Amino acid sequence: MTQDPLSLDNQLCFAIYSASHAFTKAYRPLLTELGLTYPQYLVMLVLWEKRAASVTEIGAALGLDTGTLSPLLKRLEKTGYIRRERSREDERQVMIALTTPGMTLKVRAQEVLKSIGQAIGCDLEQMRTLMDGLRRVRRNLEEA
Amino acid sequence: MTQDPLSLDNQLCFAIYSASHAFTKAYRPLLTELGLTYPQYLVMLVLWEKRAASVTEIGAALGLDTGTLSPLLKRLEKTGYIRRERSREDERQVMIALTTPGMTLKVRAQEVLKSIGQAIGCDLEQMRTLMDGLRRVRRNLEEA
DNA sequence: CGCAATTATGTTGTGCGCAATATAATTTTA
DNA sequence: TAAAATTATATTGCGCACAACATAATTGCG
């Protein structure tokens, strides 16, 4: 650690980058069972929480732009978990709503979460400090 | 926090996912100056440390497969930072070596790192516990 | 009111990430 | 040693991520 500041082992960015990939790799086989990719799962998390939302609202929650969301939502619609319909009050907006299969999928997602929780062997206390640290880093990077 | 276990705010995976994106977003303008993308920068970190390596060695260090690395390395070669040449001992291997521009680029990368360090406002102690936590999570996920 | 800015979404192009597959060189083994 | 298995790299195809640009609806300002 007193080595080169540019060594891979010293990079917080890489620790986060590789942990993120480890997570999606762990989720992938479980989510494939549900017919979801990891980013699609994130969108479903938003919708299970909000019931319905515009594309922009989903994007704000996840930090994604329409270039990513627009085709992703089309795929989710094709799978049958969401409906996309133009808002009548504001014809620019496309409201995204869960279908019945999309709503009932939540039960199976809870099982997925349970599996992942076991895998990371979550000490609640450590996990909280970890999440606090990550949010602090994220906030600082976004403000800078 | 006593809410739905599936709420976005409770997801460690999303805290990591969004922190990772915040990092690449912070790095992007700085790395663009150097003619690098973030994953290309990671490859350069490996090469600055090892001087030269096979495709597989780089992949092992970063957790990437040849499907990702093969085209990425071609782009790095085109930019002029690396050379790709078949090993004579083992004709299957392609050895990746830094060019002179690739080597001298390290000096400018040190400046980039300094900027990022200021942005995250790194308390060394907090940063270490953060990295320890991330490595623990990653290890657990990969073992499971 | 009418036109200029803004807002919401979509499209295109580039690069990453990975599964699946292909190919060629090397090693193992029968 | 010849055939089978393994290893190293490359290619294809799909989905995400994002910049840049396009379009249509709404808002605001003169």
Side-chain angles (χ1 to χ4, degrees), chain A residues 49-126:
Chain A
E49 220 169 333
K50 287 181 192 265
R51 198 116 195 134
S54 71
V55 177
T56 305
E57 282 172 328
I58 295 172
L62 300 178
L64 297 173
D65 65 7
T66 68
T68 301
L69 283 176
S70 193
L72 185 155
L73 292 169
K74 278 190 189 165
R75 284 185 286 268
L76 271 182
E77 185 181 39
K78 199 168 169 187
T79 308
Y81 290 145
I82 65 165
R83 256 191 318 272
R84 295 160 65 244
E85 36 195 40
R86 291 265 160 199
S87 160
R88 244 167 309 292
E89 300 122 45
D90 186 338
E91 287 278 342
R92 291 170 305 179
Q93 284 194 119
V94 173
M95 293 304 293
I96 310 297
L98 289 169
T99 60
T100 307
M103 285 188 272
T104 59
L105 191 69
K106 184 173 182 179
V107 181
R108 297 175 65 195
Q110 284 161 347
E111 294 306 312
V112 168
L113 185 57
K114 214 169 288 179
S115 301
I116 294 290
Q118 286 177 345
I120 61 180
C122 51
D123 172 332
L124 255 285
E125 174 60 20
Q126 283 182 321

Coordinates of all heavy atoms in Angstrom, one line a residue, chain A residues 49-126:
Chain A
E49 N -42.0 -0.1 -6.3 CA -42.1 0.9 -5.2 C -43.1 2.0 -5.5 O -43.9 2.4 -4.7 CB -40.7 1.5 -5.0 CG -40.3 1.8 -3.6 CD -38.8 2.2 -3.5 OE1 -38.0 1.8 -4.3 OE2 -38.5 2.9 -2.5
K50 N -43.1 2.4 -6.8 CA -44.0 3.5 -7.2 C -45.2 3.1 -7.9 O -46.1 4.0 -8.2 CB -43.2 4.4 -8.2 CG -42.0 5.2 -7.6 CD -41.4 6.1 -8.7 CE -40.1 6.7 -8.2 NZ -40.2 8.1 -7.8
R51 N -45.3 1.9 -8.3 CA -46.5 1.4 -9.0 C -46.5 1.8 -10.5 O -46.7 1.1 -11.4 CB -47.8 1.9 -8.4 CG -49.1 1.1 -8.8 CD -49.7 0.4 -7.6 NE -50.6 -0.6 -8.0 CZ -50.6 -1.9 -7.5 NH1 -49.7 -2.2 -6.6 NH2 -51.5 -2.8 -7.8
A52 N -46.3 3.1 -10.7 CA -46.2 3.7 -12.1 C -45.3 4.9 -12.1 O -45.2 5.6 -11.1 CB -47.6 4.0 -12.7
A53 N -44.7 5.2 -13.3 CA -43.8 6.3 -13.3 C -43.5 6.6 -14.8 O -43.6 5.8 -15.7 CB -42.5 6.0 -12.6
S54 N -43.1 7.9 -15.0 CA -42.7 8.3 -16.4 C -41.3 7.8 -16.6 O -40.6 7.5 -15.7 CB -42.8 9.8 -16.5 OG -41.8 10.4 -15.8
V55 N -40.9 7.8 -17.9 CA -39.6 7.4 -18.2 C -38.5 8.3 -17.5 O -37.5 7.8 -16.9 CB -39.3 7.5 -19.7 CG1 -37.9 7.2 -20.1 CG2 -40.3 6.6 -20.5
T56 N -38.8 9.6 -17.4 CA -37.9 10.5 -16.8 C -37.7 10.2 -15.3 O -36.6 10.3 -14.7 CB -38.3 11.9 -17.0 OG1 -38.5 12.2 -18.4 CG2 -37.3 12.9 -16.4
E57 N -38.9 9.9 -14.6 CA -38.8 9.6 -13.2 C -38.0 8.3 -12.9 O -37.2 8.3 -12.0 CB -40.2 9.3 -12.7 CG -41.0 10.6 -12.4 CD -42.5 10.4 -12.1 OE1 -43.1 9.4 -12.6 OE2 -43.1 11.2 -11.3
I58 N -38.2 7.3 -13.8 CA -37.4 6.1 -13.6 C -35.9 6.4 -13.8 O -35.0 6.0 -13.1 CB -37.8 5.0 -14.6 CG1 -39.3 4.6 -14.3 CG2 -36.9 3.8 -14.6 CD1 -39.9 3.7 -15.4
G59 N -35.6 7.2 -14.9 CA -34.3 7.6 -15.1 C -33.6 8.4 -14.0 O -32.5 8.2 -13.6
A60 N -34.4 9.3 -13.3 CA -33.9 10.0 -12.2 C -33.6 9.1 -11.0 O -32.5 9.2 -10.4 CB -34.9 11.1 -11.8
A61 N -34.4 8.1 -10.8 CA -34.2 7.2 -9.7 C -32.9 6.3 -9.9 O -32.2 6.0 -8.9 CB -35.4 6.3 -9.5
L62 N -32.7 6.0 -11.1 CA -31.6 5.1 -11.4 C -30.3 5.7 -12.0 O -29.3 5.1 -12.1 CB -32.0 4.0 -12.4 CG -33.2 3.1 -11.9 CD1 -33.6 2.1 -13.0 CD2 -32.8 2.4 -10.6
G63 N -30.5 7.0 -12.4 CA -29.3 7.7 -13.0 C -29.1 7.2 -14.4 O -27.9 7.1 -14.9
L64 N -30.2 6.9 -15.1 CA -30.0 6.5 -16.5 C -30.8 7.5 -17.4 O -31.8 8.1 -17.0 CB -30.6 5.1 -16.7 CG -29.9 4.0 -15.9 CD1 -30.7 2.7 -16.0 CD2 -28.5 3.8 -16.4
D65 N -30.3 7.6 -18.7 CA -31.0 8.5 -19.6 C -31.9 7.8 -20.5 O -31.9 6.5 -20.5 CB -29.9 9.4 -20.3 CG -29.1 8.6 -21.2 OD1 -29.3 7.3 -21.4 OD2 -28.1 9.1 -21.8
T66 N -32.6 8.5 -21.4 CA -33.5 7.8 -22.3 C -32.8 7.0 -23.3 O -33.4 6.0 -23.8 CB -34.4 8.9 -23.0 OG1 -33.6 9.6 -23.9 CG2 -35.0 9.8 -22.0
G67 N -31.6 7.3 -23.6 CA -30.9 6.5 -24.6 C -30.7 5.0 -24.1 O -30.7 4.1 -24.9
T68 N -30.6 4.9 -22.8 CA -30.6 3.6 -22.2 C -32.0 3.0 -21.9 O -32.3 1.8 -22.2 CB -29.8 3.6 -20.8 OG1 -28.5 4.1 -21.1 CG2 -29.7 2.2 -20.2
L69 N -32.8 3.8 -21.3 CA -34.1 3.4 -20.9 C -35.1 3.0 -22.0 O -35.9 2.1 -21.9 CB -34.8 4.4 -19.9 CG -34.2 4.4 -18.5 CD1 -34.8 5.5 -17.7 CD2 -34.4 3.1 -17.8
S70 N -35.1 3.9 -23.1 CA -36.1 3.7 -24.1 C -36.1 2.3 -24.7 O -37.1 1.6 -24.7 CB -35.9 4.8 -25.2 OG -36.9 4.8 -26.0
P71 N -35.0 1.8 -25.1 CA -35.0 0.4 -25.7 C -35.2 -0.6 -24.6 O -35.8 -1.7 -24.8 CB -33.6 0.2 -26.3 CG -32.8 1.3 -25.8 CD -33.7 2.4 -25.4
L72 N -34.6 -0.4 -23.4 CA -34.8 -1.3 -22.2 C -36.3 -1.5 -21.9 O -36.8 -2.6 -21.7 CB -34.0 -0.8 -21.0 CG -33.9 -1.7 -19.8 CD1 -32.7 -1.3 -19.0 CD2 -35.2 -1.6 -18.9
L73 N -37.0 -0.4 -21.9 CA -38.4 -0.5 -21.6 C -39.2 -1.2 -22.6 O -40.2 -1.9 -22.3 CB -39.0 1.0 -21.3 CG -38.5 1.7 -20.1 CD1 -38.8 3.1 -20.0 CD2 -38.9 1.0 -18.8
K74 N -38.8 -1.0 -23.9 CA -39.4 -1.7 -25.0 C -39.3 -3.2 -24.8 O -40.2 -4.0 -25.0 CB -38.9 -1.3 -26.3 CG -39.5 0.0 -26.9 CD -39.0 0.2 -28.3 CE -39.5 1.6 -28.8 NZ -38.8 2.0 -30.0
R75 N -38.1 -3.6 -24.3 CA -37.9 -5.1 -24.1 C -38.7 -5.5 -22.9 O -39.3 -6.7 -23.0 CB -36.4 -5.3 -23.8 CG -35.6 -5.3 -25.1 CD -34.1 -5.6 -24.9 NE -33.3 -4.6 -24.2 CZ -32.6 -3.7 -24.9 NH1 -32.6 -3.6 -26.2 NH2 -31.9 -2.8 -24.2
L76 N -38.8 -4.7 -21.8 CA -39.7 -5.1 -20.7 C -41.1 -5.2 -21.1 O -41.9 -6.1 -20.6 CB -39.5 -4.1 -19.6 CG -38.4 -4.3 -18.5 CD1 -38.5 -3.2 -17.5 CD2 -38.5 -5.7 -17.9
E77 N -41.5 -4.4 -22.0 CA -42.9 -4.4 -22.5 C -43.1 -5.7 -23.3 O -44.1 -6.4 -23.1 CB -43.2 -3.2 -23.4 CG -44.7 -3.2 -23.8 CD -45.0 -2.0 -24.7 OE1 -44.1 -1.6 -25.6 OE2 -46.0 -1.4 -24.6
K78 N -42.2 -6.0 -24.1 CA -42.2 -7.2 -25.0 C -42.3 -8.5 -24.1 O -43.0 -9.4 -24.4 CB -41.0 -7.3 -25.9 CG -41.1 -8.2 -27.1 CD -40.0 -8.0 -28.0 CE -39.9 -9.0 -29.1 NZ -38.7 -8.8 -30.0
T79 N -41.5 -8.5 -23.0 CA -41.6 -9.6 -22.0 C -42.9 -9.7 -21.3 O -43.3 -10.8 -20.9 CB -40.5 -9.4 -21.0 OG1 -39.2 -9.2 -21.6 CG2 -40.3 -10.7 -20.1
G80 N -43.6 -8.5 -21.2 CA -44.9 -8.6 -20.7 C -45.1 -8.1 -19.2 O -46.1 -8.2 -18.6
Y81 N -44.0 -7.5 -18.7 CA -44.0 -7.0 -17.3 C -44.5 -5.6 -17.2 O -44.9 -5.2 -16.1 CB -42.6 -7.1 -16.7 CG -42.2 -8.6 -16.5 CD1 -40.9 -8.9 -16.6 CD2 -43.1 -9.6 -16.1 CE1 -40.5 -10.3 -16.4 CE2 -42.7 -10.9 -15.9 CZ -41.4 -11.2 -16.1 OH -41.0 -12.5 -15.9
I82 N -44.5 -4.8 -18.2 CA -44.9 -3.4 -18.1 C -45.8 -3.0 -19.3 O -45.8 -3.7 -20.4 CB -43.7 -2.4 -18.1 CG1 -42.9 -2.5 -19.4 CG2 -42.8 -2.7 -16.9 CD1 -42.0 -1.3 -19.6
R83 N -46.5 -1.9 -19.2 CA -47.2 -1.3 -20.3 C -46.7 0.1 -20.5 O -46.3 0.8 -19.5 CB -48.7 -1.1 -19.9 CG -49.7 -2.1 -20.5 CD -51.1 -1.7 -20.2 NE -51.3 -1.2 -18.9 CZ -51.6 -2.0 -17.8 NH1 -51.8 -3.3 -18.0 NH2 -51.8 -1.5 -16.6
R84 N -46.6 0.6 -21.7 CA -46.2 1.9 -22.0 C -47.3 2.7 -22.7 O -47.8 2.3 -23.7 CB -44.9 1.9 -23.0 CG -43.7 1.3 -22.4 CD -42.7 0.8 -23.4 NE -42.1 1.9 -24.2 CZ -42.3 2.1 -25.5 NH1 -43.0 1.3 -26.2 NH2 -41.7 3.1 -26.1
E85 N -47.8 3.7 -22.0 CA -48.9 4.5 -22.7 C -48.6 6.0 -22.5 O -48.3 6.5 -21.4 CB -50.2 4.1 -22.2 CG -50.3 3.7 -20.7 CD -51.6 3.0 -20.4 OE1 -52.0 2.1 -21.2 OE2 -52.1 3.3 -19.3
R86 N -48.9 6.7 -23.6 CA -48.8 8.2 -23.6 C -49.7 8.8 -22.6 O -50.9 8.4 -22.5 CB -49.1 8.8 -25.0 CG -48.1 8.5 -26.0 CD -47.0 9.6 -26.2 NE -45.8 9.1 -26.8 CZ -44.6 9.7 -26.8 NH1 -44.5 10.8 -26.1 NH2 -43.6 9.2 -27.4
S87 N -49.2 9.7 -21.8 CA -50.1 10.4 -20.8 C -51.0 11.3 -21.6 O -50.6 11.9 -22.6 CB -49.2 11.3 -19.9 OG -50.0 12.3 -19.3
R88 N -52.3 11.4 -21.2 CA -53.2 12.2 -21.9 C -53.1 13.7 -21.5 O -53.4 14.6 -22.3 CB -54.7 11.7 -21.7 CG -55.3 11.2 -23.0 CD -56.6 10.4 -22.7 NE -56.5 9.4 -21.7 CZ -55.7 8.3 -21.9 NH1 -55.1 8.1 -23.1 NH2 -55.7 7.4 -21.0
E89 N -52.7 13.9 -20.2 CA -52.5 15.3 -19.8 C -51.3 15.9 -20.5 O -51.4 17.1 -20.9 CB -52.2 15.4 -18.3 CG -53.4 14.8 -17.4 CD -52.8 13.7 -16.5 OE1 -51.8 13.9 -15.9 OE2 -53.5 12.7 -16.5
D90 N -50.2 15.2 -20.6 CA -49.0 15.7 -21.3 C -48.6 14.7 -22.3 O -48.0 13.7 -22.0 CB -47.9 15.9 -20.3 CG -46.7 16.6 -20.9 OD1 -46.5 16.5 -22.1 OD2 -46.0 17.2 -20.1
E91 N -48.9 15.0 -23.6 CA -48.7 14.0 -24.6 C -47.2 13.6 -24.9 O -46.9 12.7 -25.6 CB -49.3 14.5 -25.9 CG -50.8 14.4 -26.0 CD -51.3 13.1 -26.4 OE1 -50.5 12.3 -26.9 OE2 -52.5 12.8 -26.1
R92 N -46.3 14.4 -24.2 CA -44.9 14.1 -24.4 C -44.5 12.9 -23.5 O -43.6 12.1 -23.8 CB -44.0 15.3 -23.9 CG -44.1 16.5 -24.9 CD -43.4 17.7 -24.2 NE -44.0 18.0 -22.9 CZ -43.6 19.0 -22.1 NH1 -42.6 19.7 -22.5 NH2 -44.1 19.2 -21.0
Q93 N -45.2 12.8 -22.4 CA -44.8 11.8 -21.4 C -45.3 10.4 -21.8 O -46.4 10.2 -22.3 CB -45.4 12.1 -20.0 CG -44.6 13.2 -19.3 CD -45.0 13.3 -17.9 OE1 -44.2 13.1 -17.0 NE2 -46.3 13.6 -17.6
V94 N -44.5 9.4 -21.5 CA -44.9 8.0 -21.6 C -44.9 7.4 -20.2 O -43.9 7.3 -19.5 CB -43.9 7.2 -22.5 CG1 -44.2 5.7 -22.5 CG2 -43.9 7.7 -23.9
M95 N -46.1 7.1 -19.8 CA -46.2 6.5 -18.4 C -46.0 5.0 -18.5 O -46.5 4.3 -19.4 CB -47.6 6.8 -17.8 CG -47.8 8.2 -17.5 SD -46.6 8.9 -16.4 CE -46.9 8.1 -14.9
I96 N -45.1 4.5 -17.5 CA -44.8 3.1 -17.4 C -45.6 2.5 -16.3 O -45.5 3.0 -15.1 CB -43.3 2.9 -17.2 CG1 -42.5 3.7 -18.2 CG2 -43.0 1.4 -17.3 CD1 -42.7 3.3 -19.7
A97 N -46.3 1.5 -16.5 CA -47.1 0.8 -15.5 C -46.9 -0.7 -15.5 O -46.6 -1.2 -16.5 CB -48.6 1.1 -15.6
L98 N -47.0 -1.3 -14.3 CA -46.8 -2.7 -14.2 C -48.1 -3.4 -14.7 O -49.2 -3.0 -14.5 CB -46.6 -3.1 -12.7 CG -45.3 -2.7 -12.1 CD1 -45.4 -2.9 -10.6 CD2 -44.2 -3.5 -12.7
T99 N -47.8 -4.5 -15.4 CA -48.9 -5.4 -15.8 C -49.1 -6.4 -14.6 O -48.4 -6.3 -13.6 CB -48.6 -6.3 -17.0 OG1 -47.4 -7.0 -16.7 CG2 -48.3 -5.4 -18.2
T100 N -50.1 -7.2 -14.7 CA -50.4 -8.2 -13.6 C -49.2 -9.1 -13.4 O -48.7 -9.3 -12.3 CB -51.7 -9.0 -13.8 OG1 -52.7 -8.0 -14.0 CG2 -52.0 -9.9 -12.6
P101 N -48.6 -9.7 -14.5 CA -47.4 -10.5 -14.3 C -46.3 -9.7 -13.7 O -45.5 -10.3 -12.9 CB -47.1 -10.9 -15.8 CG -48.4 -10.8 -16.5 CD -49.1 -9.7 -15.9
G102 N -46.2 -8.5 -14.1 CA -45.1 -7.6 -13.5 C -45.3 -7.4 -12.0 O -44.3 -7.5 -11.3
M103 N -46.5 -7.3 -11.6 CA -46.7 -7.1 -10.1 C -46.5 -8.4 -9.4 O -45.8 -8.4 -8.4 CB -48.2 -6.7 -9.9 CG -48.4 -5.2 -10.3 SD -50.0 -4.6 -9.8 CE -51.0 -5.0 -11.2
T104 N -47.0 -9.5 -9.9 CA -46.8 -10.8 -9.2 C -45.4 -11.3 -9.2 O -45.0 -12.0 -8.3 CB -47.7 -11.9 -9.8 OG1 -47.3 -12.1 -11.1 CG2 -49.2 -11.5 -9.7
L105 N -44.6 -10.8 -10.1 CA -43.2 -11.1 -10.2 C -42.4 -10.8 -8.9 O -41.4 -11.4 -8.5 CB -42.5 -10.5 -11.4 CG -41.1 -11.0 -11.7 CD1 -41.1 -12.4 -12.3 CD2 -40.4 -10.0 -12.7
K106 N -42.9 -9.8 -8.2 CA -42.3 -9.3 -7.0 C -42.0 -10.4 -5.9 O -41.0 -10.4 -5.3 CB -43.1 -8.1 -6.4 CG -42.4 -7.5 -5.2 CD -43.2 -6.3 -4.7 CE -42.4 -5.6 -3.5 NZ -43.1 -4.4 -3.0
V107 N -43.0 -11.3 -5.8 CA -42.8 -12.4 -4.9 C -41.6 -13.2 -5.2 O -40.8 -13.5 -4.3 CB -44.1 -13.3 -4.9 CG1 -44.0 -14.4 -3.9 CG2 -45.3 -12.4 -4.7
R108 N -41.4 -13.5 -6.5 CA -40.2 -14.3 -6.8 C -38.9 -13.5 -6.6 O -37.9 -14.1 -6.3 CB -40.3 -14.8 -8.3 CG -41.6 -15.7 -8.4 CD -41.7 -16.1 -9.9 NE -40.7 -16.9 -10.4 CZ -40.4 -17.1 -11.7 NH1 -41.2 -16.6 -12.6 NH2 -39.4 -17.9 -12.1
A109 N -39.0 -12.2 -6.8 CA -37.8 -11.3 -6.6 C -37.4 -11.3 -5.2 O -36.2 -11.2 -4.9 CB -38.1 -9.9 -7.1
Q110 N -38.4 -11.4 -4.3 CA -38.0 -11.5 -2.8 C -37.2 -12.7 -2.5 O -36.3 -12.7 -1.7 CB -39.3 -11.5 -2.0 CG -39.9 -10.1 -1.9 CD -41.4 -10.1 -1.5 OE1 -42.0 -11.2 -1.5 NE2 -41.9 -8.9 -1.2
E111 N -37.5 -13.8 -3.2 CA -36.6 -15.0 -3.1 C -35.2 -14.8 -3.6 O -34.3 -15.3 -3.0 CB -37.3 -16.2 -3.8 CG -38.6 -16.6 -3.2 CD -38.5 -16.9 -1.7 OE1 -37.6 -17.6 -1.3 OE2 -39.4 -16.4 -0.9
V112 N -35.1 -14.1 -4.7 CA -33.8 -13.8 -5.3 C -33.0 -13.0 -4.3 O -31.8 -13.3 -4.0 CB -33.9 -13.0 -6.6 CG1 -32.6 -12.5 -7.0 CG2 -34.5 -13.9 -7.7
L113 N -33.6 -12.0 -3.7 CA -32.9 -11.2 -2.7 C -32.4 -12.0 -1.6 O -31.3 -11.8 -1.1 CB -33.9 -10.1 -2.3 CG -33.2 -9.0 -1.4 CD1 -32.0 -8.4 -2.0 CD2 -34.2 -8.0 -0.9
K114 N -33.2 -12.9 -1.2 CA -32.9 -13.8 0.0 C -31.6 -14.6 -0.4 O -30.7 -14.6 0.5 CB -34.0 -14.7 0.3 CG -34.1 -15.0 1.8 CD -35.5 -15.7 2.1 CE -36.7 -14.8 2.0 NZ -37.9 -15.5 2.3
S115 N -31.5 -15.1 -1.6 CA -30.3 -15.9 -2.0 C -29.1 -15.0 -2.0 O -28.0 -15.4 -1.5 CB -30.5 -16.4 -3.4 OG -31.6 -17.3 -3.5
I116 N -29.2 -13.8 -2.5 CA -28.1 -12.9 -2.6 C -27.7 -12.5 -1.2 O -26.5 -12.5 -0.9 CB -28.5 -11.6 -3.4 CG1 -28.7 -12.0 -4.9 CG2 -27.4 -10.6 -3.3 CD1 -27.5 -12.4 -5.6
G117 N -28.6 -12.2 -0.3 CA -28.3 -11.9 1.1 C -27.5 -13.0 1.7 O -26.5 -12.7 2.4
Q118 N -27.8 -14.2 1.5 CA -27.1 -15.3 2.0 C -25.6 -15.4 1.5 O -24.7 -15.6 2.2 CB -27.7 -16.6 1.8 CG -29.0 -16.9 2.7 CD -29.7 -18.1 2.3 OE1 -29.5 -18.7 1.3 NE2 -30.6 -18.6 3.2
A119 N -25.5 -15.1 0.2 CA -24.2 -15.1 -0.5 C -23.3 -14.1 0.1 O -22.1 -14.4 0.4 CB -24.4 -14.9 -2.0
I120 N -23.7 -12.9 0.3 CA -22.9 -11.9 0.8 C -22.7 -12.0 2.4 O -21.9 -11.4 3.0 CB -23.3 -10.4 0.5 CG1 -24.7 -10.1 1.1 CG2 -23.3 -10.2 -1.0 CD1 -25.1 -8.7 0.7
G121 N -23.5 -12.9 3.0 CA -23.4 -13.2 4.4 C -23.4 -11.9 5.2 O -22.5 -11.6 5.9
C122 N -24.6 -11.1 5.0 CA -24.6 -9.8 5.5 C -24.6 -9.6 7.0 O -25.6 -9.9 7.7 CB -25.8 -9.1 4.9 SG -27.4 -9.9 5.0
D123 N -23.5 -9.1 7.5 CA -23.5 -8.5 8.8 C -24.2 -7.1 8.7 O -23.6 -6.2 8.0 CB -22.1 -8.3 9.3 CG -21.9 -7.6 10.6 OD1 -22.8 -6.7 10.9 OD2 -21.0 -7.8 11.3
L124 N -25.3 -6.9 9.3 CA -26.1 -5.7 9.1 C -25.3 -4.4 9.4 O -25.4 -3.4 8.7 CB -27.4 -5.8 10.0 CG -28.7 -6.0 9.3 CD1 -29.2 -4.8 8.6 CD2 -28.6 -7.2 8.3
E125 N -24.5 -4.5 10.4 CA -23.7 -3.3 10.9 C -22.7 -2.9 9.8 O -22.6 -1.8 9.3 CB -23.1 -3.6 12.2 CG -22.1 -2.6 12.7 CD -22.8 -1.2 12.9 OE1 -24.1 -1.2 13.0 OE2 -22.1 -0.2 12.9
Q126 N -21.9 -3.9 9.4 CA -20.9 -3.7 8.3 C -21.5 -3.2 7.0 O -21.0 -2.3 6.4 CB -20.1 -5.0 8.1 CG -19.1 -5.3 9.1 CD -18.3 -6.6 8.7 OE1 -18.9 -7.6 8.2 NE2 -17.0 -6.6 9.0

